[in-house]
Every structure is written in structure tokens, then in C-alpha cells.
Amino acid sequence: MKTWILAGTLGVCALLANAQTLPDSQTVVIPGGRLQTIELPAHKHFMSAETFSPFRGGYELSNGQVLYLRNAGSIGAMMYARIDNQEEHRIIATGSDSFVALDQQLAMRIDLRDDGSVGGEVLMRVPAEKLASGEIVPAHVQSMSLASR
């Protein structure tokens, strides 16, 4: 039995010794900051009304809809988001440029660039729907990029 354990350990060591790192030309860099899910953070990021101010307004989404952000209050920003004329959602900051709705229906990352352009993305939970054909489209999360402001 000890022989088998020793042989397995030596085999793993041999594989690790043969492992090589890829040269820079063969490595793939995956950009960070992409939204993956709509989840409430363990700890919210405090954002004052003044800090939130640059984010207020409308953002055109890649699917033609418009994301609107607003706030109420002057000390701790009570922040809200809605898409087009849909229901408004109370949001909290999860970072210096990211937000999530308390009802977990929306999440967004907004990159306000120095040149005045805007980048980022929005995740929106889309409820299940029944098509005219009778087919049911299950609930899913739709990802959209910010097209402009």
C-alpha cells in the first residue's frame, strides 16, 4: 500500500516538474470587472450623494433600452435605477463603479472615462414568459453593454 502511495506522489511530482509556463505571446488575459451574477454583497460600499452625482442620468443600452439612475437624499445617497418605463429598483453600491438592486433584479457596472465616454454593462433578470405558440421561455439573466450616455 505504501508503495502505491509513494508511486502516486512521485508521479504527481514528475508532472509538476514537467509543467512549463507559457511565453507571453501564448497567454490569455481575461479582463476583470465583468458582471457574472446579480447578488447582494456581504458588505455594501458606502456612496455619498456627491460621489453618486456623476452617475445620475440616462444610459443607452446595447439593446436600445435606456437605463436611468437617480438619487434622493443628500447625505447617504438613496439610489434608484430603472430601465425605460419599467419599475424602479432601489440600488446600493457594491464598489466605486458598480451597483446592485436590493431586489436582485438588476446589477450594473458603469465606467465613467476621463474623455467623457462611458462603458460598462447591465445585468437584468427577465421573468419567464409564455409565447403565442405556447412555448415557455424560462426566467434568465440578460446582459447588455452600455452604448452611450
Side-chain angles (χ1 to χ4, degrees), residues 48-89:
S48 69
E50 183 180 333
T51 306
F52 182 70
S53 179
F55 294 100
R56 290 189 311 220
Y59 300 87
E60 186 177 336
L61 301 175
S62 57
N63 68 353
Q65 293 180 302
V66 178
L67 168 70
Y68 296 98
L69 298 179
R70 73 171 187 91
N71 71 303
S74 58
I75 298 175
M78 301 259 305
M79 303 170 291
Y80 299 90
R82 69 178 165 84
I83 294 180
D84 286 341
N85 292 322
Q86 296 177 14
E87 177 184 342
E88 191 169 61
H89 304 271

PDB file of all heavy atoms in Angstrom, residues 48-89:
ATOM      1  N   SER A  48     -21.764  58.393  -1.038  1.00  0.00           N
ATOM      2  CA  SER A  48     -22.486  59.617  -0.700  1.00  0.00           C
ATOM      3  C   SER A  48     -23.212  60.132  -1.937  1.00  0.00           C
ATOM      4  O   SER A  48     -22.906  59.727  -3.067  1.00  0.00           O
ATOM      5  CB  SER A  48     -21.512  60.684  -0.197  1.00  0.00           C
ATOM      6  OG  SER A  48     -20.680  61.123  -1.253  1.00  0.00           O
ATOM      7  N   ALA A  49     -24.143  61.029  -1.718  1.00  0.00           N
ATOM      8  CA  ALA A  49     -24.870  61.638  -2.837  1.00  0.00           C
ATOM      9  C   ALA A  49     -23.901  62.362  -3.768  1.00  0.00           C
ATOM     10  O   ALA A  49     -24.055  62.323  -4.989  1.00  0.00           O
ATOM     11  CB  ALA A  49     -25.934  62.594  -2.307  1.00  0.00           C
ATOM     12  N   GLU A  50     -22.898  62.989  -3.204  1.00  0.00           N
ATOM     13  CA  GLU A  50     -21.900  63.707  -4.015  1.00  0.00           C
ATOM     14  C   GLU A  50     -21.102  62.750  -4.886  1.00  0.00           C
ATOM     15  O   GLU A  50     -20.849  63.015  -6.055  1.00  0.00           O
ATOM     16  CB  GLU A  50     -20.966  64.486  -3.083  1.00  0.00           C
ATOM     17  CG  GLU A  50     -19.944  65.318  -3.818  1.00  0.00           C
ATOM     18  CD  GLU A  50     -19.033  66.088  -2.859  1.00  0.00           C
ATOM     19  OE1 GLU A  50     -19.461  66.404  -1.735  1.00  0.00           O
ATOM     20  OE2 GLU A  50     -17.894  66.362  -3.259  1.00  0.00           O
ATOM     21  N   THR A  51     -20.722  61.612  -4.329  1.00  0.00           N
ATOM     22  CA  THR A  51     -19.964  60.617  -5.097  1.00  0.00           C
ATOM     23  C   THR A  51     -20.830  59.988  -6.180  1.00  0.00           C
ATOM     24  O   THR A  51     -20.356  59.660  -7.259  1.00  0.00           O
ATOM     25  CB  THR A  51     -19.416  59.526  -4.151  1.00  0.00           C
ATOM     26  OG1 THR A  51     -18.679  60.150  -3.098  1.00  0.00           O
ATOM     27  CG2 THR A  51     -18.517  58.562  -4.881  1.00  0.00           C
ATOM     28  N   PHE A  52     -22.126  59.807  -5.889  1.00  0.00           N
ATOM     29  CA  PHE A  52     -23.051  59.206  -6.845  1.00  0.00           C
ATOM     30  C   PHE A  52     -23.428  60.176  -7.972  1.00  0.00           C
ATOM     31  O   PHE A  52     -23.805  59.750  -9.063  1.00  0.00           O
ATOM     32  CB  PHE A  52     -24.312  58.730  -6.120  1.00  0.00           C
ATOM     33  CG  PHE A  52     -25.314  58.062  -7.010  1.00  0.00           C
ATOM     34  CD1 PHE A  52     -25.068  56.818  -7.564  1.00  0.00           C
ATOM     35  CD2 PHE A  52     -26.515  58.679  -7.319  1.00  0.00           C
ATOM     36  CE1 PHE A  52     -25.999  56.189  -8.386  1.00  0.00           C
ATOM     37  CE2 PHE A  52     -27.453  58.071  -8.140  1.00  0.00           C
ATOM     38  CZ  PHE A  52     -27.189  56.827  -8.672  1.00  0.00           C
ATOM     39  N   SER A  53     -23.307  61.466  -7.721  1.00  0.00           N
ATOM     40  CA  SER A  53     -23.758  62.502  -8.659  1.00  0.00           C
ATOM     41  C   SER A  53     -23.311  62.285 -10.110  1.00  0.00           C
ATOM     42  O   SER A  53     -24.123  62.421 -11.024  1.00  0.00           O
ATOM     43  CB  SER A  53     -23.307  63.875  -8.155  1.00  0.00           C
ATOM     44  OG  SER A  53     -23.714  64.877  -9.039  1.00  0.00           O
ATOM     45  N   PRO A  54     -22.058  61.951 -10.385  1.00  0.00           N
ATOM     46  CA  PRO A  54     -21.653  61.750 -11.787  1.00  0.00           C
ATOM     47  C   PRO A  54     -22.368  60.598 -12.488  1.00  0.00           C
ATOM     48  O   PRO A  54     -22.417  60.541 -13.716  1.00  0.00           O
ATOM     49  CB  PRO A  54     -20.150  61.458 -11.705  1.00  0.00           C
ATOM     50  CG  PRO A  54     -19.722  61.942 -10.368  1.00  0.00           C
ATOM     51  CD  PRO A  54     -20.920  61.845  -9.474  1.00  0.00           C
ATOM     52  N   PHE A  55     -22.924  59.673 -11.729  1.00  0.00           N
ATOM     53  CA  PHE A  55     -23.596  58.511 -12.314  1.00  0.00           C
ATOM     54  C   PHE A  55     -25.051  58.792 -12.680  1.00  0.00           C
ATOM     55  O   PHE A  55     -25.654  58.035 -13.431  1.00  0.00           O
ATOM     56  CB  PHE A  55     -23.553  57.315 -11.340  1.00  0.00           C
ATOM     57  CG  PHE A  55     -22.170  56.783 -11.102  1.00  0.00           C
ATOM     58  CD1 PHE A  55     -21.474  57.129  -9.955  1.00  0.00           C
ATOM     59  CD2 PHE A  55     -21.559  55.944 -12.018  1.00  0.00           C
ATOM     60  CE1 PHE A  55     -20.201  56.642  -9.719  1.00  0.00           C
ATOM     61  CE2 PHE A  55     -20.284  55.454 -11.806  1.00  0.00           C
ATOM     62  CZ  PHE A  55     -19.599  55.810 -10.647  1.00  0.00           C
ATOM     63  N   ARG A  56     -25.633  59.860 -12.122  1.00  0.00           N
ATOM     64  CA  ARG A  56     -27.042  60.158 -12.382  1.00  0.00           C
ATOM     65  C   ARG A  56     -27.272  60.441 -13.855  1.00  0.00           C
ATOM     66  O   ARG A  56     -26.425  60.997 -14.540  1.00  0.00           O
ATOM     67  CB  ARG A  56     -27.493  61.375 -11.569  1.00  0.00           C
ATOM     68  CG  ARG A  56     -27.572  61.105 -10.103  1.00  0.00           C
ATOM     69  CD  ARG A  56     -28.215  62.253  -9.372  1.00  0.00           C
ATOM     70  NE  ARG A  56     -27.614  63.522  -9.756  1.00  0.00           N
ATOM     71  CZ  ARG A  56     -27.352  64.515  -8.932  1.00  0.00           C
ATOM     72  NH1 ARG A  56     -27.649  64.416  -7.668  1.00  0.00           N
ATOM     73  NH2 ARG A  56     -26.812  65.628  -9.367  1.00  0.00           N
ATOM     74  N   GLY A  57     -28.435  60.051 -14.345  1.00  0.00           N
ATOM     75  CA  GLY A  57     -28.797  60.325 -15.731  1.00  0.00           C
ATOM     76  C   GLY A  57     -29.200  59.064 -16.456  1.00  0.00           C
ATOM     77  O   GLY A  57     -29.458  58.028 -15.857  1.00  0.00           O
ATOM     78  N   GLY A  58     -29.256  59.179 -17.788  1.00  0.00           N
ATOM     79  CA  GLY A  58     -29.675  58.067 -18.626  1.00  0.00           C
ATOM     80  C   GLY A  58     -28.523  57.490 -19.420  1.00  0.00           C
ATOM     81  O   GLY A  58     -27.628  58.220 -19.849  1.00  0.00           O
ATOM     82  N   TYR A  59     -28.547  56.196 -19.612  1.00  0.00           N
ATOM     83  CA  TYR A  59     -27.520  55.474 -20.365  1.00  0.00           C
ATOM     84  C   TYR A  59     -28.196  54.591 -21.394  1.00  0.00           C
ATOM     85  O   TYR A  59     -29.016  53.736 -21.036  1.00  0.00           O
ATOM     86  CB  TYR A  59     -26.684  54.584 -19.441  1.00  0.00           C
ATOM     87  CG  TYR A  59     -25.967  55.329 -18.348  1.00  0.00           C
ATOM     88  CD1 TYR A  59     -26.587  55.602 -17.135  1.00  0.00           C
ATOM     89  CD2 TYR A  59     -24.652  55.760 -18.535  1.00  0.00           C
ATOM     90  CE1 TYR A  59     -25.928  56.282 -16.129  1.00  0.00           C
ATOM     91  CE2 TYR A  59     -23.987  56.438 -17.535  1.00  0.00           C
ATOM     92  CZ  TYR A  59     -24.622  56.701 -16.334  1.00  0.00           C
ATOM     93  OH  TYR A  59     -23.973  57.373 -15.338  1.00  0.00           O
ATOM     94  N   GLU A  60     -27.854  54.774 -22.647  1.00  0.00           N
ATOM     95  CA  GLU A  60     -28.414  53.922 -23.692  1.00  0.00           C
ATOM     96  C   GLU A  60     -27.746  52.557 -23.622  1.00  0.00           C
ATOM     97  O   GLU A  60     -26.522  52.452 -23.509  1.00  0.00           O
ATOM     98  CB  GLU A  60     -28.195  54.537 -25.068  1.00  0.00           C
ATOM     99  CG  GLU A  60     -28.893  53.766 -26.172  1.00  0.00           C
ATOM    100  CD  GLU A  60     -28.727  54.412 -27.539  1.00  0.00           C
ATOM    101  OE1 GLU A  60     -28.492  55.625 -27.607  1.00  0.00           O
ATOM    102  OE2 GLU A  60     -28.828  53.670 -28.531  1.00  0.00           O
ATOM    103  N   LEU A  61     -28.559  51.512 -23.688  1.00  0.00           N
ATOM    104  CA  LEU A  61     -28.058  50.145 -23.635  1.00  0.00           C
ATOM    105  C   LEU A  61     -27.939  49.573 -25.042  1.00  0.00           C
ATOM    106  O   LEU A  61     -28.580  50.050 -25.974  1.00  0.00           O
ATOM    107  CB  LEU A  61     -28.988  49.274 -22.780  1.00  0.00           C
ATOM    108  CG  LEU A  61     -29.167  49.743 -21.335  1.00  0.00           C
ATOM    109  CD1 LEU A  61     -30.204  48.885 -20.622  1.00  0.00           C
ATOM    110  CD2 LEU A  61     -27.849  49.713 -20.595  1.00  0.00           C
ATOM    111  N   SER A  62     -27.154  48.536 -25.183  1.00  0.00           N
ATOM    112  CA  SER A  62     -26.910  47.933 -26.489  1.00  0.00           C
ATOM    113  C   SER A  62     -28.170  47.371 -27.129  1.00  0.00           C
ATOM    114  O   SER A  62     -28.217  47.198 -28.340  1.00  0.00           O
ATOM    115  CB  SER A  62     -25.845  46.842 -26.376  1.00  0.00           C
ATOM    116  OG  SER A  62     -26.244  45.858 -25.435  1.00  0.00           O
ATOM    117  N   ASN A  63     -29.223  47.099 -26.348  1.00  0.00           N
ATOM    118  CA  ASN A  63     -30.458  46.571 -26.918  1.00  0.00           C
ATOM    119  C   ASN A  63     -31.472  47.674 -27.233  1.00  0.00           C
ATOM    120  O   ASN A  63     -32.614  47.402 -27.571  1.00  0.00           O
ATOM    121  CB  ASN A  63     -31.090  45.538 -25.974  1.00  0.00           C
ATOM    122  CG  ASN A  63     -31.615  46.149 -24.690  1.00  0.00           C
ATOM    123  OD1 ASN A  63     -31.419  47.328 -24.413  1.00  0.00           O
ATOM    124  ND2 ASN A  63     -32.275  45.338 -23.890  1.00  0.00           N
ATOM    125  N   GLY A  64     -31.062  48.948 -27.096  1.00  0.00           N
ATOM    126  CA  GLY A  64     -31.942  50.068 -27.424  1.00  0.00           C
ATOM    127  C   GLY A  64     -32.707  50.635 -26.240  1.00  0.00           C
ATOM    128  O   GLY A  64     -33.273  51.718 -26.330  1.00  0.00           O
ATOM    129  N   GLN A  65     -32.739  49.925 -25.128  1.00  0.00           N
ATOM    130  CA  GLN A  65     -33.405  50.438 -23.943  1.00  0.00           C
ATOM    131  C   GLN A  65     -32.509  51.478 -23.262  1.00  0.00           C
ATOM    132  O   GLN A  65     -31.335  51.620 -23.605  1.00  0.00           O
ATOM    133  CB  GLN A  65     -33.724  49.299 -22.969  1.00  0.00           C
ATOM    134  CG  GLN A  65     -34.761  48.335 -23.511  1.00  0.00           C
ATOM    135  CD  GLN A  65     -35.056  47.210 -22.535  1.00  0.00           C
ATOM    136  OE1 GLN A  65     -34.164  46.472 -22.143  1.00  0.00           O
ATOM    137  NE2 GLN A  65     -36.319  47.093 -22.149  1.00  0.00           N
ATOM    138  N   VAL A  66     -33.069  52.187 -22.281  1.00  0.00           N
ATOM    139  CA  VAL A  66     -32.309  53.201 -21.566  1.00  0.00           C
ATOM    140  C   VAL A  66     -32.345  52.901 -20.071  1.00  0.00           C
ATOM    141  O   VAL A  66     -33.414  52.658 -19.503  1.00  0.00           O
ATOM    142  CB  VAL A  66     -32.859  54.624 -21.840  1.00  0.00           C
ATOM    143  CG1 VAL A  66     -32.083  55.669 -21.046  1.00  0.00           C
ATOM    144  CG2 VAL A  66     -32.808  54.940 -23.328  1.00  0.00           C
ATOM    145  N   LEU A  67     -31.177  52.909 -19.448  1.00  0.00           N
ATOM    146  CA  LEU A  67     -31.038  52.762 -18.007  1.00  0.00           C
ATOM    147  C   LEU A  67     -31.009  54.156 -17.398  1.00  0.00           C
ATOM    148  O   LEU A  67     -30.238  55.008 -17.842  1.00  0.00           O
ATOM    149  CB  LEU A  67     -29.730  52.035 -17.668  1.00  0.00           C
ATOM    150  CG  LEU A  67     -29.301  52.039 -16.202  1.00  0.00           C
ATOM    151  CD1 LEU A  67     -30.225  51.165 -15.362  1.00  0.00           C
ATOM    152  CD2 LEU A  67     -27.857  51.572 -16.081  1.00  0.00           C
ATOM    153  N   TYR A  68     -31.867  54.403 -16.416  1.00  0.00           N
ATOM    154  CA  TYR A  68     -31.909  55.688 -15.731  1.00  0.00           C
ATOM    155  C   TYR A  68     -31.473  55.496 -14.282  1.00  0.00           C
ATOM    156  O   TYR A  68     -31.958  54.580 -13.609  1.00  0.00           O
ATOM    157  CB  TYR A  68     -33.326  56.272 -15.745  1.00  0.00           C
ATOM    158  CG  TYR A  68     -33.826  56.606 -17.122  1.00  0.00           C
ATOM    159  CD1 TYR A  68     -34.658  55.724 -17.812  1.00  0.00           C
ATOM    160  CD2 TYR A  68     -33.471  57.803 -17.746  1.00  0.00           C
ATOM    161  CE1 TYR A  68     -35.115  56.019 -19.080  1.00  0.00           C
ATOM    162  CE2 TYR A  68     -33.932  58.104 -19.021  1.00  0.00           C
ATOM    163  CZ  TYR A  68     -34.752  57.215 -19.681  1.00  0.00           C
ATOM    164  OH  TYR A  68     -35.207  57.507 -20.940  1.00  0.00           O
ATOM    165  N   LEU A  69     -30.580  56.358 -13.800  1.00  0.00           N
ATOM    166  CA  LEU A  69     -30.152  56.345 -12.412  1.00  0.00           C
ATOM    167  C   LEU A  69     -30.487  57.686 -11.784  1.00  0.00           C
ATOM    168  O   LEU A  69     -30.274  58.736 -12.396  1.00  0.00           O
ATOM    169  CB  LEU A  69     -28.646  56.103 -12.305  1.00  0.00           C
ATOM    170  CG  LEU A  69     -28.104  54.790 -12.845  1.00  0.00           C
ATOM    171  CD1 LEU A  69     -26.599  54.735 -12.674  1.00  0.00           C
ATOM    172  CD2 LEU A  69     -28.755  53.612 -12.168  1.00  0.00           C
ATOM    173  N   ARG A  70     -31.004  57.646 -10.559  1.00  0.00           N
ATOM    174  CA  ARG A  70     -31.291  58.876  -9.818  1.00  0.00           C
ATOM    175  C   ARG A  70     -31.061  58.612  -8.347  1.00  0.00           C
ATOM    176  O   ARG A  70     -30.912  57.463  -7.928  1.00  0.00           O
ATOM    177  CB  ARG A  70     -32.713  59.345 -10.063  1.00  0.00           C
ATOM    178  CG  ARG A  70     -33.774  58.502  -9.375  1.00  0.00           C
ATOM    179  CD  ARG A  70     -35.167  59.129  -9.452  1.00  0.00           C
ATOM    180  NE  ARG A  70     -36.111  58.384  -8.660  1.00  0.00           N
ATOM    181  CZ  ARG A  70     -36.389  58.624  -7.379  1.00  0.00           C
ATOM    182  NH1 ARG A  70     -35.788  59.615  -6.750  1.00  0.00           N
ATOM    183  NH2 ARG A  70     -37.268  57.897  -6.722  1.00  0.00           N
ATOM    184  N   ASN A  71     -31.031  59.689  -7.576  1.00  0.00           N
ATOM    185  CA  ASN A  71     -30.919  59.508  -6.137  1.00  0.00           C
ATOM    186  C   ASN A  71     -31.830  60.477  -5.411  1.00  0.00           C
ATOM    187  O   ASN A  71     -32.302  61.457  -5.974  1.00  0.00           O
ATOM    188  CB  ASN A  71     -29.470  59.666  -5.667  1.00  0.00           C
ATOM    189  CG  ASN A  71     -28.977  61.090  -5.738  1.00  0.00           C
ATOM    190  OD1 ASN A  71     -28.995  61.705  -6.794  1.00  0.00           O
ATOM    191  ND2 ASN A  71     -28.528  61.622  -4.611  1.00  0.00           N
ATOM    192  N   ALA A  72     -32.089  60.157  -4.163  1.00  0.00           N
ATOM    193  CA  ALA A  72     -32.868  61.007  -3.268  1.00  0.00           C
ATOM    194  C   ALA A  72     -32.085  61.073  -1.967  1.00  0.00           C
ATOM    195  O   ALA A  72     -31.501  60.085  -1.545  1.00  0.00           O
ATOM    196  CB  ALA A  72     -34.250  60.415  -3.033  1.00  0.00           C
ATOM    197  N   GLY A  73     -32.056  62.217  -1.350  1.00  0.00           N
ATOM    198  CA  GLY A  73     -31.293  62.386  -0.120  1.00  0.00           C
ATOM    199  C   GLY A  73     -29.966  63.033  -0.407  1.00  0.00           C
ATOM    200  O   GLY A  73     -29.439  62.939  -1.514  1.00  0.00           O
ATOM    201  N   SER A  74     -29.432  63.708   0.592  1.00  0.00           N
ATOM    202  CA  SER A  74     -28.200  64.447   0.358  1.00  0.00           C
ATOM    203  C   SER A  74     -27.015  63.930   1.160  1.00  0.00           C
ATOM    204  O   SER A  74     -25.884  64.307   0.890  1.00  0.00           O
ATOM    205  CB  SER A  74     -28.419  65.932   0.682  1.00  0.00           C
ATOM    206  OG  SER A  74     -28.845  66.056   2.030  1.00  0.00           O
ATOM    207  N   ILE A  75     -27.240  63.076   2.144  1.00  0.00           N
ATOM    208  CA  ILE A  75     -26.119  62.586   2.947  1.00  0.00           C
ATOM    209  C   ILE A  75     -25.724  61.199   2.445  1.00  0.00           C
ATOM    210  O   ILE A  75     -24.750  61.042   1.745  1.00  0.00           O
ATOM    211  CB  ILE A  75     -26.467  62.581   4.446  1.00  0.00           C
ATOM    212  CG1 ILE A  75     -26.741  64.021   4.889  1.00  0.00           C
ATOM    213  CG2 ILE A  75     -25.338  61.978   5.257  1.00  0.00           C
ATOM    214  CD1 ILE A  75     -27.201  64.175   6.302  1.00  0.00           C
ATOM    215  N   GLY A  76     -26.467  60.193   2.816  1.00  0.00           N
ATOM    216  CA  GLY A  76     -26.255  58.862   2.270  1.00  0.00           C
ATOM    217  C   GLY A  76     -27.193  58.722   1.091  1.00  0.00           C
ATOM    218  O   GLY A  76     -28.396  58.864   1.245  1.00  0.00           O
ATOM    219  N   ALA A  77     -26.658  58.514  -0.077  1.00  0.00           N
ATOM    220  CA  ALA A  77     -27.486  58.502  -1.283  1.00  0.00           C
ATOM    221  C   ALA A  77     -28.461  57.335  -1.265  1.00  0.00           C
ATOM    222  O   ALA A  77     -28.068  56.187  -1.112  1.00  0.00           O
ATOM    223  CB  ALA A  77     -26.610  58.432  -2.522  1.00  0.00           C
ATOM    224  N   MET A  78     -29.750  57.642  -1.394  1.00  0.00           N
ATOM    225  CA  MET A  78     -30.777  56.621  -1.635  1.00  0.00           C
ATOM    226  C   MET A  78     -30.844  56.557  -3.155  1.00  0.00           C
ATOM    227  O   MET A  78     -31.339  57.486  -3.798  1.00  0.00           O
ATOM    228  CB  MET A  78     -32.118  57.032  -1.046  1.00  0.00           C
ATOM    229  CG  MET A  78     -32.082  57.268   0.444  1.00  0.00           C
ATOM    230  SD  MET A  78     -32.718  55.942   1.438  1.00  0.00           S
ATOM    231  CE  MET A  78     -34.327  55.683   0.806  1.00  0.00           C
ATOM    232  N   MET A  79     -30.307  55.512  -3.737  1.00  0.00           N
ATOM    233  CA  MET A  79     -30.125  55.434  -5.173  1.00  0.00           C
ATOM    234  C   MET A  79     -31.162  54.512  -5.800  1.00  0.00           C
ATOM    235  O   MET A  79     -31.552  53.507  -5.207  1.00  0.00           O
ATOM    236  CB  MET A  79     -28.712  54.939  -5.477  1.00  0.00           C
ATOM    237  CG  MET A  79     -27.636  55.820  -4.848  1.00  0.00           C
ATOM    238  SD  MET A  79     -25.976  55.119  -4.931  1.00  0.00           S
ATOM    239  CE  MET A  79     -26.081  53.726  -3.822  1.00  0.00           C
ATOM    240  N   TYR A  80     -31.587  54.884  -7.024  1.00  0.00           N
ATOM    241  CA  TYR A  80     -32.619  54.129  -7.730  1.00  0.00           C
ATOM    242  C   TYR A  80     -32.217  53.954  -9.191  1.00  0.00           C
ATOM    243  O   TYR A  80     -31.562  54.811  -9.779  1.00  0.00           O
ATOM    244  CB  TYR A  80     -33.963  54.861  -7.658  1.00  0.00           C
ATOM    245  CG  TYR A  80     -34.453  55.039  -6.245  1.00  0.00           C
ATOM    246  CD1 TYR A  80     -34.122  56.164  -5.508  1.00  0.00           C
ATOM    247  CD2 TYR A  80     -35.241  54.052  -5.650  1.00  0.00           C
ATOM    248  CE1 TYR A  80     -34.559  56.316  -4.199  1.00  0.00           C
ATOM    249  CE2 TYR A  80     -35.684  54.205  -4.338  1.00  0.00           C
ATOM    250  CZ  TYR A  80     -35.340  55.328  -3.623  1.00  0.00           C
ATOM    251  OH  TYR A  80     -35.768  55.469  -2.333  1.00  0.00           O
ATOM    252  N   ALA A  81     -32.659  52.834  -9.771  1.00  0.00           N
ATOM    253  CA  ALA A  81     -32.416  52.550 -11.182  1.00  0.00           C
ATOM    254  C   ALA A  81     -33.693  51.999 -11.800  1.00  0.00           C
ATOM    255  O   ALA A  81     -34.470  51.314 -11.139  1.00  0.00           O
ATOM    256  CB  ALA A  81     -31.293  51.534 -11.337  1.00  0.00           C
ATOM    257  N   ARG A  82     -33.874  52.314 -13.076  1.00  0.00           N
ATOM    258  CA  ARG A  82     -34.974  51.707 -13.831  1.00  0.00           C
ATOM    259  C   ARG A  82     -34.552  51.631 -15.285  1.00  0.00           C
ATOM    260  O   ARG A  82     -33.682  52.369 -15.729  1.00  0.00           O
ATOM    261  CB  ARG A  82     -36.279  52.483 -13.680  1.00  0.00           C
ATOM    262  CG  ARG A  82     -36.312  53.825 -14.331  1.00  0.00           C
ATOM    263  CD  ARG A  82     -37.681  54.503 -14.151  1.00  0.00           C
ATOM    264  NE  ARG A  82     -37.602  55.904 -14.463  1.00  0.00           N
ATOM    265  CZ  ARG A  82     -37.698  56.420 -15.679  1.00  0.00           C
ATOM    266  NH1 ARG A  82     -37.903  55.627 -16.711  1.00  0.00           N
ATOM    267  NH2 ARG A  82     -37.600  57.715 -15.870  1.00  0.00           N
ATOM    268  N   ILE A  83     -35.165  50.732 -16.001  1.00  0.00           N
ATOM    269  CA  ILE A  83     -34.920  50.591 -17.433  1.00  0.00           C
ATOM    270  C   ILE A  83     -36.198  50.984 -18.144  1.00  0.00           C
ATOM    271  O   ILE A  83     -37.272  50.441 -17.868  1.00  0.00           O
ATOM    272  CB  ILE A  83     -34.483  49.162 -17.789  1.00  0.00           C
ATOM    273  CG1 ILE A  83     -33.120  48.888 -17.139  1.00  0.00           C
ATOM    274  CG2 ILE A  83     -34.423  48.975 -19.293  1.00  0.00           C
ATOM    275  CD1 ILE A  83     -32.555  47.517 -17.391  1.00  0.00           C
ATOM    276  N   ASP A  84     -36.073  51.960 -19.045  1.00  0.00           N
ATOM    277  CA  ASP A  84     -37.211  52.536 -19.755  1.00  0.00           C
ATOM    278  C   ASP A  84     -38.293  52.945 -18.758  1.00  0.00           C
ATOM    279  O   ASP A  84     -37.995  53.627 -17.790  1.00  0.00           O
ATOM    280  CB  ASP A  84     -37.745  51.582 -20.828  1.00  0.00           C
ATOM    281  CG  ASP A  84     -36.824  51.506 -22.045  1.00  0.00           C
ATOM    282  OD1 ASP A  84     -35.992  52.412 -22.238  1.00  0.00           O
ATOM    283  OD2 ASP A  84     -36.955  50.536 -22.807  1.00  0.00           O
ATOM    284  N   ASN A  85     -39.523  52.517 -18.988  1.00  0.00           N
ATOM    285  CA  ASN A  85     -40.624  52.875 -18.094  1.00  0.00           C
ATOM    286  C   ASN A  85     -40.987  51.733 -17.149  1.00  0.00           C
ATOM    287  O   ASN A  85     -42.102  51.676 -16.641  1.00  0.00           O
ATOM    288  CB  ASN A  85     -41.855  53.287 -18.909  1.00  0.00           C
ATOM    289  CG  ASN A  85     -41.617  54.587 -19.639  1.00  0.00           C
ATOM    290  OD1 ASN A  85     -40.980  55.487 -19.105  1.00  0.00           O
ATOM    291  ND2 ASN A  85     -42.097  54.679 -20.864  1.00  0.00           N
ATOM    292  N   GLN A  86     -40.043  50.827 -16.935  1.00  0.00           N
ATOM    293  CA  GLN A  86     -40.292  49.700 -16.042  1.00  0.00           C
ATOM    294  C   GLN A  86     -40.239  50.162 -14.587  1.00  0.00           C
ATOM    295  O   GLN A  86     -39.944  51.316 -14.284  1.00  0.00           O
ATOM    296  CB  GLN A  86     -39.253  48.600 -16.279  1.00  0.00           C
ATOM    297  CG  GLN A  86     -39.335  47.996 -17.667  1.00  0.00           C
ATOM    298  CD  GLN A  86     -38.247  46.971 -17.902  1.00  0.00           C
ATOM    299  OE1 GLN A  86     -37.587  46.503 -16.992  1.00  0.00           O
ATOM    300  NE2 GLN A  86     -38.056  46.611 -19.171  1.00  0.00           N
ATOM    301  N   GLU A  87     -40.497  49.245 -13.702  1.00  0.00           N
ATOM    302  CA  GLU A  87     -40.475  49.505 -12.263  1.00  0.00           C
ATOM    303  C   GLU A  87     -39.097  49.999 -11.813  1.00  0.00           C
ATOM    304  O   GLU A  87     -38.061  49.539 -12.293  1.00  0.00           O
ATOM    305  CB  GLU A  87     -40.819  48.193 -11.541  1.00  0.00           C
ATOM    306  CG  GLU A  87     -40.769  48.249 -10.060  1.00  0.00           C
ATOM    307  CD  GLU A  87     -41.021  46.873  -9.431  1.00  0.00           C
ATOM    308  OE1 GLU A  87     -41.548  45.976 -10.116  1.00  0.00           O
ATOM    309  OE2 GLU A  87     -40.688  46.719  -8.258  1.00  0.00           O
ATOM    310  N   GLU A  88     -39.104  50.942 -10.875  1.00  0.00           N
ATOM    311  CA  GLU A  88     -37.861  51.470 -10.324  1.00  0.00           C
ATOM    312  C   GLU A  88     -37.366  50.537  -9.215  1.00  0.00           C
ATOM    313  O   GLU A  88     -38.162  49.961  -8.478  1.00  0.00           O
ATOM    314  CB  GLU A  88     -38.127  52.870  -9.761  1.00  0.00           C
ATOM    315  CG  GLU A  88     -36.883  53.632  -9.408  1.00  0.00           C
ATOM    316  CD  GLU A  88     -37.182  55.087  -9.103  1.00  0.00           C
ATOM    317  OE1 GLU A  88     -37.940  55.354  -8.153  1.00  0.00           O
ATOM    318  OE2 GLU A  88     -36.659  55.941  -9.830  1.00  0.00           O
ATOM    319  N   HIS A  89     -36.046  50.382  -9.123  1.00  0.00           N
ATOM    320  CA  HIS A  89     -35.433  49.495  -8.137  1.00  0.00           C
ATOM    321  C   HIS A  89     -34.482  50.299  -7.265  1.00  0.00           C
ATOM    322  O   HIS A  89     -33.682  51.083  -7.770  1.00  0.00           O
ATOM    323  CB  HIS A  89     -34.622  48.381  -8.828  1.00  0.00           C
ATOM    324  CG  HIS A  89     -35.416  47.584  -9.795  1.00  0.00           C
ATOM    325  ND1 HIS A  89     -36.116  46.468  -9.433  1.00  0.00           N
ATOM    326  CD2 HIS A  89     -35.630  47.753 -11.129  1.00  0.00           C
ATOM    327  CE1 HIS A  89     -36.723  45.962 -10.498  1.00  0.00           C
ATOM    328  NE2 HIS A  89     -36.447  46.732 -11.536  1.00  0.00           N
TER     329      HIS A  89
END
